[in-house]
Amino acid sequence: MVQIPDLSIIEDYLKSTTPDPVAYDPSSDPSTIVSQPLKDFYIRESTDLMTLDVTLCDWGSASWIDNHPTEVIQPVLLRAPEVIIGAPSGPPVDIWNLGAVLLEVLDAVRIFDGRAKQTGGVFRTKHHLKEIVALFGPFHPHLLALGDPKIAAEYFDDQGSIRNPILRPKDFLENWIESLTGNDKEFVMLLRSMMKIDPGERPTAKELLSEAWFRRTTRQPDS
């Protein structure tokens, strides 16, 4: 990934390549902007290569909204509930994914593990689902109805809870956040808003910007 040094480059590019003004209106819906290469704009001269900020990343599980190379998208432990049960998926999976990654970046821990001593430390989908339910509640019946009926019948009861769950201590999301205290517990509220079981209840990326944790640009010492 290459960081664009001057965001006005994007505006200039869209104005010169897009006949529809709404496509480069900052207040418009980002989904109206067609993805196109910017290389001829942010790398104008070969000498500019020395000034670029480059970040290595892995897009191996990336997918288009309407064209999935495989329906089992996302890295295993970051998969959204709808992906695990085989229900239709879309942009809300990225919000779930971001929530799980934020905790890993903040505290260097994974929110889900998918393994238990009872299974010999081997990943099991059932245990992964149990971890999700323990932290964020049962699966909604209408979501299960959209998924693979074999998965629903194998793992869930009529209330959307896990059948014959592996016994484990009760989970509290707050227990996972070790590096934050006081008002920074707003981060827990942020995670809960992003990691709703029902994808329709998750905020969009734009709506996330109004969350208190994102709006706090300065940190006050806890009294």
Side-chain angles (χ1 to χ4, degrees), residues 167-186:
L167 296 179
R168 51 179 289 159
K170 186 172 179 58
D171 273 334
F172 295 97
L173 190 57
E174 289 78 2
N175 294 343
W176 287 86
I177 317 297
E178 297 181 356
S179 63
L180 298 181
T181 58
N183 291 334
D184 282 325
K185 289 294 184 176
E186 290 170 350

Side-chain angles (χ1 to χ4, degrees), residues 148-169:
D148 185 333
K150 294 181 179 179
I151 294 178
E154 180 178 359
Y155 296 127
F156 297 93
D157 60 23
D158 294 338
Q159 285 72 47
S161 296
I162 302 298
R163 293 184 183 276
N164 303 314
I166 296 173
L167 296 179
R168 51 179 289 159

Side-chain angles (χ1 to χ4, degrees), residues 183-184 186 212-222:
N183 291 334
D184 282 325
E186 290 170 350
W213 194 73
F214 280 118
R215 287 190 285 105
R216 291 177 61 214
T217 56
T218 58
R219 304 288 178 179
Q220 298 297 328
D222 295 319

Side-chain angles (χ1 to χ4, degrees), residues 5-204:
D6 181 357
L7 295 183
S8 66
I9 291 175
I10 299 177
E11 184 177 354
D12 293 340
Y13 173 79
L14 292 174
K15 287 180 177 179
S16 65
T17 59
T18 309
D20 184 1
V22 72
Y24 57 82
D25 179 358
S27 64
S28 67
D29 182 351
S31 66
T32 63
I33 300 176
V34 178
S35 177
Q36 302 179 62
L38 283 166
K39 63 180 184 298
D40 294 333
F41 283 74
Y42 62 67
I43 305 178
R44 302 175 193 266
E45 302 290 343
S46 60
T47 54
D48 291 341
L49 291 173
M50 301 302 296
T51 64
L52 295 178
D53 289 327
V54 179
T55 299
L56 298 180
C57 64
D58 179 7
W59 286 53
S61 298
S63 178
W64 292 274
I65 293 177
D66 56 356
N67 180 19
H68 297 171
T70 172
E71 290 307 311
V72 186
I73 60 176
Q74 301 180 290
V76 175
L77 295 178
L78 301 181
R79 284 176 186 159
E82 61 269 33
V83 174
I84 300 175
I85 66 172
S89 59
V93 302
D94 292 328
I95 303 301
W96 176 278
N97 213 152
L98 177 59
V101 169
L102 278 178
L103 181 58
E104 189 169 344
V105 171
L106 186 67
D107 266 350
V109 295
R110 288 180 175 175
I111 192 170
F112 305 118
D113 181 62
R115 296 177 291 181
K117 292 180 180 179
Q118 294 90 332
T119 62
V122 178
F123 174 85
R124 293 285 187 271
T125 297
K126 178 177 180 178
H127 190 56
H128 186 189
L129 289 168
K130 176 64 175 68
E131 291 174 331
I132 291 175
V133 171
L135 286 175
F136 302 106
F139 278 56
H140 298 221
H142 77 270
L143 180 60
L144 290 174
L146 294 173
D148 185 333
K150 294 181 179 179
I151 294 178
E154 180 178 359
Y155 296 127
F156 297 93
D157 60 23
D158 294 338
Q159 285 72 47
S161 296
I162 302 298
R163 293 184 183 276
N164 303 314
I166 296 173
L167 296 179
R168 51 179 289 159
K170 186 172 179 58
D171 273 334
F172 295 97
L173 190 57
E174 289 78 2
N175 294 343
W176 287 86
I177 317 297
E178 297 181 356
S179 63
L180 298 181
T181 58
N183 291 334
D184 282 325
K185 289 294 184 176
E186 290 170 350
F187 181 73
V188 174
M189 298 174 62
L190 172 67
L191 282 188
R192 291 196 182 283
S193 73
M194 298 173 71
M195 305 188 77
K196 298 285 189 179
I197 298 295
D198 187 340
E201 295 179 359
R202 293 174 211 149
T204 64

